[in-house]
Amino acid sequence: MSASTIDTDCLHCGSRLGRFWQPEDGPFCCRGCRTVYELIHGADLEKFYDLRRGPQPPASSLRPDSFAWLDRVIADQIPTATASAADGETQPGAKPKTSGLWRLSLDLQGVHCAACVWLLEELYHREAGGISIRINPTLGKVGLVWDPQQGALKDYLAAVEKFGYRFGPSRKKERPGAHSLLMRMAVSIAVAVNVMMFSISYYLGLAPADGALYTFFGWLSLLLATLSVIVGGQPFFRGAVAGLRRRVAHLDLPISFGMVLAYSGSVYAFFRSGPETAYFDTLTVFIALMLVGRWAQQHVLERNRNALLTTSGAENLSTRRLGEDGLIAVPVTRVERGDELWIAPGDIVPVDGVLLRKNTTVSLDWITGESDPVDLGPGEIVPAGAFNTDAGGFAVTATESFAESRLQTLLRAPATRTHEFRPVWWHRVSTIYVVAVLTIAAVGFLLWAGRDLTVALQVAIAILVVTCPCALGLATPLAEELVHHNLRQHGVLVRTANFLEKALQVHKILLDKTGTLTLGELALAPESAAAFGGLSATDLAVLTDMTARSNHPVSRCLNAALSGGIAIDRSSTTGAIDGPTADPVAASARPVGAPENLIEQPGAGLSWECGDHIYRLGKPAFARGAPANRDAAPTTVAGDARADTADIATLFTIDGHTLALFYCRENLKADAAGELAALRESGYTLHLLSGDAPAKVRAVAQRLGIEPANARGGLDPEAKAAHVRALDTRDTLMVGDGLNDSPSFEAALCAATPAVDRPVLPGKADFYFLGDGIAAIGRALGAARQLRRIVRDNLAFAVVYNVGAVALCLAGLVTPLIAAVLMPLSSITVVGLTAYRLSGRRRAWIS
């Protein structure tokens, strides 16, 4: 793969295709975008692209939801409704359906623009039960009215899920202080405009000879400036005080310092020399600009947080419990020992339980990191945290209450990280600023004190006013907002305010394997494609039918390869792949079997009786006719030179005679190798930490170029977190997608996740990312470095400006009018330069 930049945009989201994009991937940045693009065109929803403005984050590929939470929401918000009404059908033992309309308030995930709102509304109104829907894209909340007599609400929720949107219980709340900050900004802007009008009258000649108007405007300016300091300055004062209590010179410190000194000096000048010598206009404009910067800084982070569903821990999870009234959705926190639970496809098992009545397949990747599905039979224990990946549901009897479940610990609300982050660079900048301003103001006063005490005071006040830190308080938040916006367009959504500062300290990147570096599915090893060429047309038809009727990952892998139209060399000979066994039955004599004769042996494979013959597909021993053994190793074949690899060997036989041998391996994300190589070249040390088998971890590490000594497998959540703590010297970024990574997130300096199916991990991460690849890691770290360059350049500009402004002040040439011009002019200049460097064609740093 070449790492050259591709000058092509994704057809769906409009984002630039990645550095490691390949033509065979098509004009899409990920599978999610390809799927949604096809769905939109298949449903005549092309207006979506007319409404979209500019690039948007890639579409999410979501794990199907069983909507168990909806039953609880309906029961809570519509007391007369039942779980059966949500499904549109009546279950045995359930109460009759409710009558009347449902008015529900839900949370929404995945809305990024007006086109998303239109798409959701259009799909809603196409449903017979959809009456009205109101979407708040800023908060990610929805109010809807639904007629349960006309259709099942879950059908609509499942339909929009395919487009990358997900609904959930109404738990999002406006961030405390968000409305307050907006009101403070509005008040400060209004005050600044009015004070500026009063000041213009003084600049145009309003003098004491003009009588009461001169005094009246002066007192109004003083009162309004005082109001601006009290109302607008409070967020900065609080931040500065909080930082000092923690012995950290926060960015708010120089801003607060500048406000207080400018206000104090202006009040002194007002009472000593009259309102025309005060700097109230400059002060109020400065406060208004600082609040605009603070609001922009927080608004983009809040928008990223609201783009996902909200979680506060286990209380947000639901399960179905069998009771006297049938299946009832209950919070997992109410599960007790002995309860019988129904686990629908896509549901999580909340507690350890004994499987009842039927075989099933579950995935443990979320809690252990194991990539292989686990087949279980009646009487076996299904561990807490397992996902039902089978096509049907299953029942378990809880062997513990949720209070005893290990899942409760992993789901707990985000805890404070091991290390308290201290922004050393900002501490140094703030300290230098405060000391320098005070020193220069004192020098200016002393230079003039011997000649004219009044001029000396005016010089000192002018220095305090013109050195207000606009580069820190306005240009820096603007730069952060633009960086966040650019990252968001590329599917990287930052949640924490200090991540871009913490990212500068990262030197070690710790990576989970399953789901983070892999796609969560198997891929056919390249050399195995030739095995299809040794099969007759009948064998291929049988193999296609067998794999199409199984949900096992190996079956899905083989069926996808068959459906993909792999070229078959008809001139190749049939026969054994692992030995010289001849084909014992002519292809024309092989009948097609009945679907009901297909048997899936959990943990072993598939067998299909076709007339007098039996086809088998699965573990080599099983395929050759040995009794099914779920615990047999899946990766070894007698006499095979690849017995020591982590590839999964799957044998296809007829009556025990080999037809073909296939090797499946974990499907790595397309850009994983290239992006990790780029990170190594940038100086980062890479570690691979996984709960999967050590052999599989070593194999993946080898394919990705990670040092064998830095690849660890077989780690449970606690062991993985301990390893993170051992590696961390306040310089680690942990990237994972499973619940087993939760303790490691808290141990690392910062954390990231691609897991947006459930909000647990994103709620603990500094940023989350969308799409199939891992380019987001390099983009986020590169964005932090670019932001630092911009901020440093802005500070250099501020130093040059302040040197010139201070020189004018020391010469006694700065009047309130000149200060009123200099401060906005410097602000506009530094803001313009920042916007220019972070927008348009100068965004090569994020490609």
Side-chain angles (χ1 to χ4, degrees):
M1 294 183 181
S2 63
S4 58
T5 301
I6 305 298
D7 190 20
T8 306
D9 296 335
C10 175
L11 284 185
H12 173 67
C13 68
S15 298
R16 187 61 53 89
L17 299 180
R19 294 178 295 175
F20 303 99
W21 173 85
Q22 294 290 294
E24 55 266 26
D25 296 334
F28 301 97
C29 65
C30 64
R31 295 174 302 170
C33 284
R34 178 192 293 274
T35 299
V36 174
Y37 181 86
E38 293 171 352
L39 286 171
I40 286 176
H41 283 79
D44 296 326
L45 296 169
E46 290 87 350
K47 185 179 178 182
F48 172 88
Y49 297 108
D50 297 330
L51 296 174
R52 191 191 69 191
R53 294 292 180 266
Q56 297 296 329
S60 301
S61 297
L62 302 176
R63 192 194 304 248
D65 193 353
S66 68
F67 307 110
W69 56 268
L70 182 60
D71 300 334
R72 285 177 56 194
V73 169
I74 293 174
D76 291 341
Q77 299 188 26
I78 316 290
T80 60
T82 65
S84 59
D87 291 304
E89 59 184 22
T90 302
Q91 300 175 357
K95 299 175 183 177
K97 291 182 182 179
T98 182
S99 59
L101 302 179
W102 292 351
R103 290 174 172 81
L104 301 175
S105 176
L106 304 175
D107 284 351
L108 178 60
Q109 169 179 315
V111 175
H112 302 292
C113 62
C116 296
V117 174
W118 175 84
L119 181 63
L120 288 164
E121 291 178 343
E122 180 67 18
L123 290 172
Y124 188 81
H125 292 306
R126 291 184 180 186
E127 297 287 338
I131 305 300
S132 68
I133 183 171
R134 300 186 316 277
I135 300 175
N136 184 333
T138 302
L139 292 179
K141 298 189 74 66
V142 177
L144 57 84
V145 180
W146 182 270
D147 186 351
Q149 302 298 323
Q150 298 299 319
L153 180 56
K154 288 184 180 180
D155 291 343
Y156 168 70
L157 302 186
V160 300
E161 189 178 73
K162 297 176 182 177
F163 290 85
Y165 306 103
R166 173 158 285 177
F167 286 84
S170 179
R171 301 188 185 278
K172 292 181 183 179
K173 297 179 180 178
E174 191 173 27
R175 179 181 51 82
H179 182 71
S180 172
L181 181 63
L182 191 62
M183 292 303 298
R184 292 176 190 277
M185 183 177 70
V187 170
S188 297
I189 291 174
V191 166
V193 171
N194 282 276
V195 172
M196 183 62 72
M197 288 191 300
F198 299 147
S199 298
I200 289 175
S201 64
Y202 293 113
Y203 299 149
L204 295 179
L206 185 64
D210 294 313
L213 190 62
Y214 170 85
T215 305
F216 179 65
F217 277 6
W219 279 100
L220 275 180
S221 296
L222 172 62
L223 292 175
L224 288 174
T226 303
L227 176 65
S228 181
V229 171
I230 294 174
V231 174
Q234 188 176 10
F236 304 97
F237 299 152
R238 285 200 305 262
V241 172
L244 290 174
R245 287 176 178 172
R246 292 184 288 122
R247 298 183 180 180
V248 174
H250 192 270
L251 174 62
D252 287 344
L253 179 61
I255 296 175
S256 302
F257 193 75
M259 288 181 185
V260 171
L261 291 182
Y263 176 75
S264 302
S266 296
V267 170
Y268 179 84
F270 173 82
F271 285 107
R272 181 177 179 84
S273 306
E276 69 273 19
T277 62
Y279 296 83
F280 293 135
D281 52 346
T282 305
L283 171 65
T284 54
V285 169
F286 172 71
I287 293 175
L289 290 176
M290 295 302 100
L291 284 171
V292 170
R294 179 58 52 87
W295 176 83
Q297 191 177 32
Q298 295 186 359
H299 175 71
V300 67
L301 292 174
E302 192 66 17
R303 184 183 177 191
N304 288 346
R305 296 187 189 108
N306 288 334
L308 284 181
L309 299 179
T310 299
T311 181
S312 56
E315 60 269 26
N316 287 350
L317 293 179
S318 299
T319 191
R320 293 181 175 92
R321 183 173 63 192
L322 182 62
E324 295 180 356
D325 295 328
L327 289 177
I328 301 175
V330 297
V332 295
T333 52
R334 290 169 51 186
V335 173
E336 298 294 339
R337 186 191 301 266
D339 286 349
E340 184 173 333
L341 308 177
W342 178 255
I343 311 301
D347 270 357
I348 188 174
V349 181
V351 296
D352 288 351
V354 177
L355 183 63
L356 304 176
R357 292 184 286 276
K358 58 169 286 188
N359 297 322
T360 193
T361 302
V362 298
S363 171
L364 303 181
D365 62 335
W366 206 44
I367 55 169
T368 67
E370 295 180 23
S371 57
D372 291 341
V374 177
D375 299 301
L376 299 171
E380 293 189 280
I381 295 294
V382 184
F387 272 105
N388 179 7
T389 58
D390 211 342
F394 60 84
V396 298
T397 298
T399 60
E400 61 182 359
S401 66
F402 187 76
E404 303 169 300
S405 173
R406 186 163 173 253
L407 193 63
Q408 180 180 229
T409 302
L410 297 176
L411 282 172
R412 69 177 183 270
T416 303
R417 290 237 166 87
T418 303
H419 303 304
E420 179 185 2
F421 175 71
R422 292 178 178 271
V424 178
W425 192 74
W426 277 120
H427 175 82
R428 187 181 304 117
V429 170
S430 300
T431 302
I432 292 173
Y433 169 82
V434 171
V435 173
V437 169
L438 285 177
T439 301
I440 295 172
V443 170
F445 177 82
L446 294 175
L447 285 176
W448 284 89
R451 287 176 284 180
D452 189 325
L453 188 60
T454 300
V455 174
L457 289 172
Q458 291 177 348
V459 168
I461 294 171
I463 290 174
L464 296 176
V465 171
V466 299
T467 56
C468 284
C470 291
L472 300 180
L474 183 60
T476 297
L478 173 66
E480 291 185 0
E481 198 277 337
L482 290 174
V483 167
H484 287 310
H485 176 72
N486 290 333
L487 287 173
R488 182 185 177 91
Q489 287 186 331
H490 286 78
V492 185
L493 291 88
V494 179
R495 297 185 63 261
T496 58
N498 60 3
F499 166 71
L500 293 174
E501 182 71 17
K502 290 193 294 185
L504 296 170
Q505 297 181 205
V506 170
H507 298 292
K508 306 184 191 84
I509 301 176
L510 317 180
L511 300 152
D512 175 50
K513 179 180 70 69
T514 307
T516 301
L517 298 176
T518 67
L519 289 172
E521 61 185 27
L522 296 176
L524 195 64
E527 58 272 25
S528 292
F532 290 111
L535 299 176
S536 67
T538 303
D539 296 336
L540 284 171
V542 171
L543 181 60
T544 301
D545 286 346
M546 292 179 71
T547 55
R549 290 184 169 90
S550 171
N551 196 42
H552 193 278
V554 172
S555 296
R556 293 201 303 265
C557 171
L558 293 175
N559 190 260
L562 288 164
S563 303
I566 292 178
I568 300 175
D569 183 4
R570 292 299 179 185
S571 63
S572 62
T573 59
T574 60
I577 302 299
D578 64 335
T581 307
D583 186 357
V585 181
S588 60
R590 294 174 189 162
V592 177
E596 60 268 19
N597 292 334
L598 179 67
I599 299 174
E600 183 162 359
Q601 300 286 347
L606 302 170
S607 64
W608 199 6
E609 184 177 346
C610 298
D612 297 330
H613 307 285
I614 297 178
Y615 284 92
R616 291 184 183 230
L617 176 71
K619 292 181 178 180
F622 167 78
R624 291 192 178 100
N629 181 5
R630 198 162 43 236
D631 298 323
T635 59
T636 60
V637 179
D640 180 41
R642 299 175 46 164
D644 59 343
T645 71
D647 290 349
I648 300 174
T650 301
L651 203 60
F652 181 42
T653 67
I654 179 171
D655 298 331
H657 299 283
T658 299
L659 294 175
L661 173 64
F662 303 101
Y663 282 99
C664 299
R665 59 176 55 166
E666 290 188 88
N667 196 5
L668 295 178
K669 294 183 176 180
D671 65 349
E675 290 294 341
L676 294 184
L679 289 171
R680 279 195 301 272
E681 292 175 2
S682 299
Y684 295 102
T685 302
L686 305 179
H687 293 261
L688 183 59
L689 308 177
S690 176
D692 208 350
K696 293 184 178 181
V697 176
R698 287 193 299 269
V700 169
Q702 182 179 11
R703 292 167 64 187
L704 295 175
I706 296 176
E707 292 291 334
N710 292 348
R712 298 290 185 91
L715 300 174
D716 62 23
E718 291 74 20
K720 183 183 287 190
H723 198 69
V724 172
R725 282 189 289 270
L727 291 170
D728 184 66
T729 53
R730 303 194 182 203
D731 63 348
T732 55
L733 167 64
M734 177 67 200
V735 187
D737 78 315
L739 194 57
N740 62 320
D741 297 311
S742 179
S744 298
F745 274 31
E746 297 171 12
L749 173 68
C750 47
T753 182
V756 296
D757 294 88
R758 296 182 182 273
V760 177
L761 275 194
K764 298 183 178 185
D766 291 277
F767 73 92
Y768 61 94
F769 52 96
L770 308 176
D772 286 342
I774 62 168
I777 302 173
R779 282 172 176 158
L781 296 174
R785 295 193 298 270
Q786 176 68 3
L787 177 62
R788 172 56 58 85
R789 286 192 289 269
I790 297 292
V791 171
R792 281 180 170 168
D793 291 348
N794 286 345
L795 288 175
F797 171 84
V799 169
V800 173
Y801 155 76
N802 281 318
V803 167
V806 167
L808 293 175
C809 292
L810 293 175
L813 300 177
V814 176
T815 64
L817 176 59
I818 294 176
V821 173
L822 282 179
M823 197 274 289
L825 182 62
S826 68
S827 300
I828 292 173
T829 301
V830 73
V831 165
L833 289 174
T834 299
Y836 172 72
R837 295 182 63 184
L838 289 172
S839 60
R841 295 183 177 180
R842 301 184 62 84
R843 293 191 296 176
W845 54 274
I846 200 172
S847 61

